[in-house]
Each structure stands twice: as C-alpha cells, then as structure tokens.
C-alpha cells in the first residue's frame, strides 16, 4: 500500500504536506536551479513590505550551536516590484504547487495596503501574515504576535480585504501560545503557521560585539524543533484551524512529530540552506513511514499523538 500524501486544505490541493518556509526560498525562482519546485507541496515567499528594503548589515547569518541565528532585516523588493517581476514568474512556473505570499509591515495599515495590492493582481493561493518577525523593531514596538489583542486588529482588517486563505504566522516567545492562536482564529484566520524564529544573541568574545551585523537575531534550526512541536500541540488544543508546523525540520522523523502533534502541513526552512532538496527528501520519508505503518492517508496521522487529549502544561501557567 502506498500512503496518500495529498490533501485538500483551504479549498486547494496540496500534493504533499511539505512546503518551503518564508525567507528560505526567495520567490521560488532563486531556488529553481537547485531543486524541482513541483516536488514540494508549496512555497511561502520572502516577506513582502510596502516599500523595498535593503535589509540589515552583514553578517546576516551566523552559526549558533545546533542552530542558526539570522537578522536579514526583511530584505525584499517591495510590493510593486514583487507584483510586476516575481508574481509573473511564479504564475508561469509554479502552477502545480500552492503559493502563499508572506506579508510584513510596521503598522496594521501597511499589511492591509499590501493585501489590497496583491488582490488586484492575483496568481497565488493565499497569504501568510508575518506578525512575528523578531528582526523588525516596528518603530520601537514588539511583534504583533506577542499580544493577542494587537494581533486581532491586524488579522480582522486583512480578513475584510480578501477571501483568499489567510495564514497567520505566530511567535514562539510567548508565555502561552494558546490565547494567541485563539485570537487569530476569532479574527478570521484560516490557518496558523507555528513558529517563527526565537530571539537570540551570539557574542564574538574577541571583539566583544555581536556576531551578527544587526546585533540580536532570530534562532532557527534543530534547536527550535521541540519548541515548534509544543506550540503546535498547544494550538491544537485551543483552535480547530488547520496548523502549519515549522521549526527545525531536517528529516521525515522531524516532520512526523509535527504531524502527530496536529499540523496538517509542515515547512522546511533552515535545512534548505544546507541541502535544497531537503523538502523533497522529507516528503518521500513521510510516505515511507506511512507505508511501513500501513497508513492509508496522511490525514490518518494528523493529531494522533497519544498525549493529545492530556491537559497541556504551560511552564509557568496552570496545568
Ligand atoms: O528578514 C528577517 O530578518 C526575518 C524575518 Br522577516 C522573519 O520573519 N524571521 C526571521 O527570523 N528573520
């Protein structure tokens, strides 16, 4: 028996559950020589802002133990050029897979104007609202995803502007992701992506300065995996939305943890930098696991973690 990997979610068919994460595949074209993009379930673009951004000073990426620290600073061509230069390529070359446009901004109005701009062009499935970038000071404020009520306002406004699937990307550094997930659902999100990178700092002890050009950054890679799996598990208990798990996936076993915890889809991010074919390999490995276990469809694996019904303990919070 061969396990069925395809699923219908958000009114669209995902031929497998493994997507490329925002910020790790550009707009597809940048990776098209290194892997067969039709072999992944979909991609999420680099976050797009209203105006072009050059990004932060180098180095933008450093090693941090079993992890990576980045502060890219939202480098992207901006709404207008993405619509005129990137979307046509994606429309032509990625018709067999699902594309989400990642949206970021400093103020709610920026998110809404970007969604309005993309709505007038089309040629992709939906949006991933990036409310959790750790490297964007938001004019001195914190990422929207750290406060359920602030997040609610951004999502409600975006919801009024589009009928396309709206994913909301959450941050790992909250005391309890449950209320944040519930607020996103209440505000009209169609799905949640968990999690963005975790704030971190690497210090060069020779220069006594930060190893990254920008100072602090966002931690990703294997060290983040258990945090992401826990976030999915916690969100599963608090919402009925489809969940997209991301953080530290390098092989099928990692991805399976997210699926069992309750994610319908997963994203591969940091591991793509080391091997652009990681997502393909992960999808094949999930299928092999299903075959070995005699599972008919991937849907029969989602959320069947045996602790799913147990009360979720939140460190520092009530059990
Ligand atoms: O561009 C970045 O520095 C960045 C973004 Br937008 C994000 O959402 N997460 C991250 O780790 N880096």
């Amino acid at each position: 028996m061969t396990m069925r990997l395809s699923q219908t979610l958000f009114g669209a068919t995902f031929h497998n559950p493994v997507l490329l994460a925002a910020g790790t595949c550009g707009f597809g074209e940048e990776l098209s020589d290194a892997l067969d993009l039709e072999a992944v379930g979909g991609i999420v673009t680099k976050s797009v802002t209203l105006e072009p951004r050059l990004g932060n000073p180098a180095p933008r990426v450093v090693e941090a133990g079993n992890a990576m620290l980045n502060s890219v600073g939202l480098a992207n061509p901006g709404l207008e050029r993405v619509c005129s230069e990137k979307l046509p390529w994606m429309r032509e070359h990625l018709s067999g897979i699902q594309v989400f446009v990642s949206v970021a901004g400093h103020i709610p109005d920026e998110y809404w104007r970007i969604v309005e701009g993309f709505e007038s062009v089309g040629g992709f499935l939906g949006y991933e609202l990036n409310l959790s970038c750790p490297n964007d000071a938001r004019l001195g404020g914190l990422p929207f995803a750290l406060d359920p009520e602030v997040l609610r306002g951004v999502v409600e406004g975006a919801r009024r502007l589009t009928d396309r699937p709206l994913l909301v990307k959450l941050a790992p550094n909250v005391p309890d992701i449950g209320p944040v997930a519930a607020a996103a659902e209440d505000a009209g999100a169609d799905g949640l992506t968990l999690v963005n990178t975790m704030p971190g700092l690497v210090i060069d002890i020779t220069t006594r300065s930060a190893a990254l050009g920008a100072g602090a950054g966002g931690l990703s890679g294997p060290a983040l995996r258990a945090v992401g799996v826990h976030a999915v598990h916690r969100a599963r208990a608090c919402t009925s939305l489809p969940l997209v798990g991301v953080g530290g996936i390098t092989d099928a076993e990692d991805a399976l943890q997210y699926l069992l915890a309750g994610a319908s889809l997963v994203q591969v991010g940091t591991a793509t930098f080391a091997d652009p074919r990681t997502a393909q390999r992960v999808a094949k490995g999930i299928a092999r696991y299903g075959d070995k276990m005699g599972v008919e469809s991937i849907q029969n694996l989602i959320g069947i973690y045996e602790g799913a019904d147990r009360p979720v303990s939140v460190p520092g919070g009530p059990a």
Side-chain angles (χ1 to χ4, degrees), residues 66 107 154 251 300:
N66 199 11
I107 55 170
V154 187
D251 57 30
N300 300 339

Side-chain angles (χ1 to χ4, degrees), residues 29-307:
E29 190 173 1
E30 295 85 341
L31 269 190
S32 58
D33 286 341
L35 84 156
D36 175 14
L37 284 164
E38 300 278 325
V40 300
I43 71 163
V44 187
T45 69
K46 175 66 187 163
S47 291
V48 180
T49 51
L50 207 49
E51 305 298 337
R53 292 212 201 169
L54 291 173
N56 286 338
R60 290 174 168 187
V61 172
V62 292
E63 272 186 36
N66 199 11
M68 188 184 100
L69 197 69
N70 89 83
S71 187
V72 173
L74 275 156
N76 82 98
L79 172 67
E80 217 174 284
R81 278 184 51 206
V82 171
C83 286
S84 62
E85 295 171 18
K86 303 293 183 184
L87 276 182
W89 187 93
M90 292 196 278
R91 224 180 275 127
E92 189 178 337
H93 295 90
L94 303 180
S95 58
I97 65 168
Q98 303 303 347
V99 175
F100 287 94
V101 174
S102 172
V103 178
H106 278 140
I107 55 170
D109 188 59
E110 226 177 310
Y111 285 85
W112 303 333
R113 286 170 64 191
I114 295 166
V115 169
E116 268 177 335
F118 278 117
E119 282 300 289
S120 63
V121 184
F124 56 94
L125 175 66
Y127 300 97
E128 185 178 81
L129 295 183
N130 183 357
L131 301 185
S132 47
C133 174
N135 301 331
D136 195 25
R138 192 163 69 79
L139 309 177
L142 292 166
F144 296 94
L146 299 191
D147 182 331
E149 290 318 307
V150 177
L151 168 140
R152 183 190 297 274
V154 187
V155 178
E156 278 175 353
R159 180 72 289 166
R160 281 194 280 273
L161 296 169
T162 181
D163 292 327
R164 289 176 197 279
L166 207 53
L167 300 177
V168 176
K169 189 164 183 179
L170 302 184
N173 50 319
V174 285
D176 180 6
I177 208 158
V180 189
E185 178 170 31
D186 202 44
D190 295 300
L192 304 175
T193 305
L194 313 102
V195 288
N196 209 318
T197 54
M198 183 89 183
L201 176 66
V202 174
I203 296 174
D204 181 329
I205 60 166
T206 310
T207 62
R208 298 177 187 172
S209 58
L212 283 174
L219 192 90
S220 62
L224 190 64
R225 187 187 317 123
V227 175
V229 172
H230 180 264
V232 166
H233 170 53
R234 178 73 185 129
R236 182 70 297 143
C238 296
T239 85
S240 53
L241 292 178
L243 306 177
V244 185
V246 53
I249 296 176
T250 62
D251 57 30
E253 287 72 19
D254 300 338
L256 282 157
Q257 290 194 54
Y258 277 98
L259 296 173
L260 294 172
S264 299
L265 300 170
V266 296
Q267 297 175 358
V268 172
T270 304
T272 301
F273 293 127
D275 175 5
R277 291 191 179 81
T278 303
Q280 262 171 269
R281 186 164 45 75
V282 169
K284 280 191 188 142
I286 293 171
R288 266 199 306 277
Y289 171 87
D291 295 348
K292 198 172 84 191
M293 296 290 182
V295 181
E296 200 176 309
S297 162
I298 184 143
Q299 271 152 319
N300 300 339
L301 287 176
I302 294 165
I304 64 159
Y305 160 56
E306 62 120 45

